[in-house]
Every structure is written in structure tokens, then in C-alpha cells.
Amino acid sequence: MELSYLNEEEQYELHAVMDMEQCTPSLSQANRLKRMSQLGKLDMDAIYLVLEEEKPNQREQIRIRSDRLNPYFPKDYTDRQKIELIESLVKEWHQEQMQSKGR
């Protein structure tokens, strides 16, 4: 819907970028494209910049069910505390790996 407000040339350029990059704009990106168009600042470069942004739903995630981890934590640990500890342990492990490769 938001993209229907772009003029014909802008829609053509957007379609070309979408085709080349094999992507589609999110609603947030479509709104920004519309605002840029209204301000007269939408061109091929701007379209590329907006569409190349990483979308939150495209970020890789690792999920571990809490029931697999809960036995290893005190009962009163919050999710935040668990995450911080896991991040700290992974960072420590990584540093050890880098040091052992340097030997």
C-alpha cells in the first residue's frame, strides 16, 4: 500500500532493485521510502541503502529450550542472568581457542 504512493519512475527503480537484490521492503522500509519520495529524496542509491539494511526477522538466531539449560543454573537466576553467563562463558572459550591457535 505504502509503495503505491511512489511515482511511476520510483516504482520502476524500486522494482529493479528488488529484482537485482532478490528482496522486498518491510513495512518500516516501505514507509521510509514513501517519506523519502514525498521529500523528493528518493533515488536508486537511496533505495539500495534502505533495502540493504538487515531486517530484524532476518537475523540468525540460536535457540535453546530453557528446559535443557535450567538444570545447570540456580533456581533464582533470571533469564537475563543466564544469558549474561552464557555469553561470558562463550567469550572466555573463544579467547582460549584463539590463544591455543597462537601457540
Side-chain angles (χ1 to χ4, degrees), residues 22-89:
Q22 292 297 299
C23 65
T24 57
S26 67
L27 179 57
S28 170
Q29 289 171 324
N31 282 323
R32 283 206 318 273
L33 292 170
K34 176 184 168 186
R35 282 194 305 275
M36 292 170 83
S37 173
Q38 290 169 336
L39 295 171
K41 296 182 177 185
L42 188 61
D43 59 15
M44 198 82 131
D45 290 334
I47 293 170
Y48 267 108
L49 288 174
V50 170
L51 291 186
E52 73 181 5
E53 296 169 353
E54 183 179 51
K55 298 174 194 160
N57 66 344
Q58 292 177 329
R59 290 187 188 128
E60 287 190 44
Q61 295 183 7
I62 296 174
R63 294 181 186 261
I64 303 172
R65 291 190 347 242
S66 60
D67 64 333
R68 291 185 65 183
L69 297 175
N70 284 340
Y72 306 105
F73 292 99
K75 298 254 185 258
D76 63 340
Y77 259 47
T78 65
D79 287 344
R80 182 92 219 99
Q81 289 173 306
K82 293 174 187 177
I83 290 168
E84 287 172 358
L85 178 57
I86 291 168
E87 287 175 343
S88 142
L89 292 170

